[in-house]
C-alpha cells in the first residue's frame, strides 16, 4: 500500500541490481537529483527486465522491496535516463507484469439509461 501523498518514480534504463538500499539511495540523490528520504517510492529495473527493486523511506527508516518475475519482463519506458512518475494503480499493474501504459479492461458496465 502506497502512503497518501507519496509519489512513485521509476528510473529509466537499467540499474545494477547488486545495489542495496544505500547504493540505490545514492543513485536517487546523485543520478536522479531527488531526495531518497522524502517519502517517495523509487523503482529500479535490472538489465534482464525480470527483477525490480523499490526503495522508500517512511520517515523512520528505509525499506527495500524486490520482485523477480518467473516469466516475462516488467514493462519499462524506452528512455535511457531520467524518471517517470506513476500512479499507485499503474505501479500495481507494473508489479503484476501488466503493461501499465495501456491496461485493457476486460469488461465495462453498460450505462443505465
Amino acid at each position: 500500500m502506497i502512503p497518501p501523498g507519496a509519489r512513485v518514480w521509476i528510473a529509466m534504463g537499467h540499474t545494477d541490481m547488486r545495489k542495496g538500499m544505500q547504493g540505490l539511495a545514492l543513485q536517487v540523490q546523485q543520478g536522479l537529483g531527488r531526495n531518497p528520504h522524502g517519502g517517495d517510492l523509487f523503482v529500479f529495473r535490472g538489465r534482464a527486465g525480470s527483477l525490480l527493486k523499490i526503495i522508500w523511506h517512511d520517515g523512520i527508516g528505509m525499506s527495500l522491496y524486490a520482485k523477480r518475475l518467473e516469466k516475462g519482463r516488467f514493462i519499462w519506458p524506452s528512455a535511457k535516463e531520467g524518471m517517470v512518475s506513476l500512479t499507485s494503480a499503474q505501479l500495481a499493474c507494473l508489479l503484476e507484469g501488466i503493461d501499465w501504459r495501456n491496461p485493457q479492461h476486460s469488461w465495462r458496465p453498460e450505462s443505465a439509461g
Side-chain angles (χ1 to χ4, degrees):
M1 181 170 171
I2 298 173
R7 295 192 66 186
V8 178
W9 300 97
I10 60 172
M12 299 291 104
H14 63 273
T15 301
D16 181 354
M17 289 288 105
R18 295 174 292 183
K19 291 182 179 184
M21 283 186 259
Q22 289 79 15
L24 293 173
L26 189 62
Q27 185 170 337
V28 168
Q29 187 173 10
Q30 293 180 348
L32 302 176
R34 305 288 298 188
N35 178 4
H37 301 100
D40 290 343
L41 286 83
F42 297 93
V43 186
F44 303 89
R45 186 182 83 154
R47 181 178 297 272
S50 61
L51 175 64
L52 67 69
K53 290 184 178 181
I54 301 172
I55 61 167
W56 170 58
H57 195 280
D58 64 1
I60 299 171
M62 184 76 69
S63 297
L64 175 67
Y65 173 82
K67 182 169 184 174
R68 181 183 310 273
L69 291 177
E70 304 249 338
K71 294 181 182 177
R73 295 176 165 199
F74 292 105
I75 305 299
W76 221 248
S78 59
K80 298 293 181 198
E81 55 186 57
M83 58 187 173
V84 170
S85 178
L86 298 182
T87 65
S88 56
Q90 288 171 323
L91 177 62
C93 287
L94 173 68
L95 292 174
E96 292 298 320
I98 298 169
D99 187 347
W100 55 271
R101 300 165 302 178
N102 188 23
Q104 300 294 316
H105 294 279
S106 60
W107 176 79
R108 290 184 189 251
E110 294 181 27
S111 61

